[in-house]
Amino acid sequence: MPTSKIIVKNLTHTYNKGLAYETHAIDDVSFEVAEGEFCSIVGHTGSGKSTLIQHLNGLLKPTSGTVTVGGVDVTAKGASVIDIRRKTGMVFQYPEYQLFEETVYLDVAFGPKNLGIPEEEIEARVKEAMALVNLDFNEYAHRSPFELSGGQKRMAAIAGVLAMRPEVLILDEPTAGLDPKSHEDILALVADIRRKTGCTVLLVSHNMDDVAALSDRVFVMAAGRVVKVGPSEEVFAEEDFMKGIGLGVPRARAFASLLARKGLALPRAERILTPETLLEALTP
Ligand SMILES: Nc1ncnc2c1ncn2[C@@H]1O[C@H](COP(=O)(O)OP(=O)(O)O)[C@@H](O)[C@H]1O
Ligand SMILES: [Mg+2]
């Protein structure tokens, strides 16, 4: 029987433990994610999303509990950083702030170099990653990353993570602060990467439309706990609950609910989460 790709068991993380201002950022969280699954993590600011995901690449060590990614116990003392980085690719919030090399090529190559990938393979990896994010190699590889547009900078930063060919891709609010076009580009990219590489994806997002469009399952966090988890349709069916914790539901679902309240209930309303499923329900 295949084991899950990600196994989080009784994870607790307390910042500044023992001090007067200690914070229980993660409080006894357990879940599993299957190989190839696309899961989103939603929750109010401060609910513990970023703290949680930083345990999956060994950046933070648990106060208690364990985290296993692709069979590697990333919480074990002496767990190899290289082994962990090969498993988990992490796209931090505003990843473009971490671009620092002279050229896009060198920035994208930075991760694989650190993994000890042989020099002759690195160029192939850079080309592959730049192609995935739709940055033309000939046009951009030898430019300074600082000459790129905001959206392109973020794409270049994501390419640096993809060049490590992670088995698990984690993105922390990857569309934050982007214009609508770049926002759409990033979403299409995430869907595309998943389709092309089959990697397992964890997406942290505040945008319920994006979450509904992409996710197999949704984890809802509040005050350091996972308070709800299930397929998107089930989680967003609980509209009052989602509104109650300040998150809301996808716009298509809110619209379907509004129609229902006006006595215009659509068929299979529970499946309406995206503009596409809304259109389907409206088409006789
Ligand atoms: N480096 C840190 N030191 C101390 N407290 C932190 C640190 N990072 C986050 N916190 C606190 O932990 C809690 C969870 O934060 P975070 O994981 O950033 O939540 P989210 O990503 O959902 O906004 C918050 O109360 C936050 O203030
Ligand atoms: Mg965060």
Side-chain angles (χ1 to χ4, degrees), residues 46-86:
S47 59
K49 305 179 298 296
S50 295
T51 302
L52 171 64
I53 59 172
Q54 287 176 72
H55 285 83
L56 299 176
N57 77 339
L59 207 70
L60 288 177
K61 293 292 177 196
T63 304
S64 61
T66 57
V67 177
T68 310
V69 180
V72 172
D73 178 353
V74 304
T75 57
K77 279 208 175 68
S80 146
V81 175
I82 292 207
D83 280 352
I84 297 171
R85 296 286 184 274
R86 277 177 191 267

Side-chain angles (χ1 to χ4, degrees), residues 31-33 39-42 217-221 226 228-229:
F31 63 85
E32 299 194 9
V33 175
C39 292
S40 290
I41 303 174
V42 301
R217 279 194 302 153
V218 180
F219 295 77
V220 183
M221 291 192 71
V226 174
K228 194 170 287 297
V229 52

Side-chain angles (χ1 to χ4, degrees), residues 15-16 23 25 44-51:
Y15 288 108
N16 305 309
T23 308
H44 215 270
T45 302
S47 59
K49 305 179 298 296
S50 295
T51 302

Side-chain angles (χ1 to χ4, degrees), residues 233-281:
E233 309 89 70
E234 281 176 25
V235 168
F236 291 125
E238 308 218 22
E239 199 166 334
D240 292 339
F241 173 84
M242 294 301 282
K243 282 185 181 156
I245 59 171
L247 293 173
V249 295
R251 282 175 299 175
R253 158 145 303 266
F255 180 62
S257 303
L258 180 62
L259 288 179
R261 284 198 296 279
K262 302 280 179 195
L264 296 164
L266 293 168
R268 288 167 282 119
E270 69 287 351
R271 292 191 47 229
I272 299 172
L273 291 177
T274 59
E276 291 76 22
T277 46
L278 177 59
L279 182 64
E280 245 172 61

Side-chain angles (χ1 to χ4, degrees), residues 118-267:
E119 195 60 46
E120 59 273 18
E121 199 189 318
I122 289 191
E123 182 168 332
R125 293 244 188 160
V126 173
K127 283 187 167 155
E128 171 190 278
M130 287 185 67
L132 274 170
V133 303
N134 291 317
L135 278 179
D136 184 72
F137 184 86
N138 292 327
E139 190 174 349
Y140 292 107
H142 300 291
R143 283 213 212 162
S144 161
F146 303 102
E147 289 170 25
L148 305 180
S149 72
Q152 287 173 327
K153 275 187 194 144
R154 191 162 298 180
M155 289 293 193
I158 294 175
V161 173
L162 297 177
M164 294 190 273
R165 292 193 191 146
E167 294 171 24
V168 174
L169 179 66
I170 302 179
L171 304 116
D172 197 352
E173 300 190 28
T175 60
L178 292 180
D179 61 80
K181 166 73 168 66
S182 302
H183 182 129
E184 287 308 313
D185 288 348
I186 296 275
L187 280 197
L189 167 70
V190 174
D192 198 41
I193 293 167
R194 199 257 194 136
R195 203 165 38 239
K196 285 183 179 153
T197 71
C199 67
T200 307
V201 182
L202 271 187
L203 171 73
V204 174
S205 176
H206 273 127
N207 187 310
M208 300 304 133
D209 290 341
D210 299 351
V211 168
L214 293 168
S215 318
D216 298 318
R217 279 194 302 153
V218 180
F219 295 77
V220 183
M221 291 192 71
R225 291 176 157 263
V226 174
V227 293
K228 194 170 287 297
V229 52
S232 318
E233 309 89 70
E234 281 176 25
V235 168
F236 291 125
E238 308 218 22
E239 199 166 334
D240 292 339
F241 173 84
M242 294 301 282
K243 282 185 181 156
I245 59 171
L247 293 173
V249 295
R251 282 175 299 175
R253 158 145 303 266
F255 180 62
S257 303
L258 180 62
L259 288 179
R261 284 198 296 279
K262 302 280 179 195
L264 296 164
L266 293 168

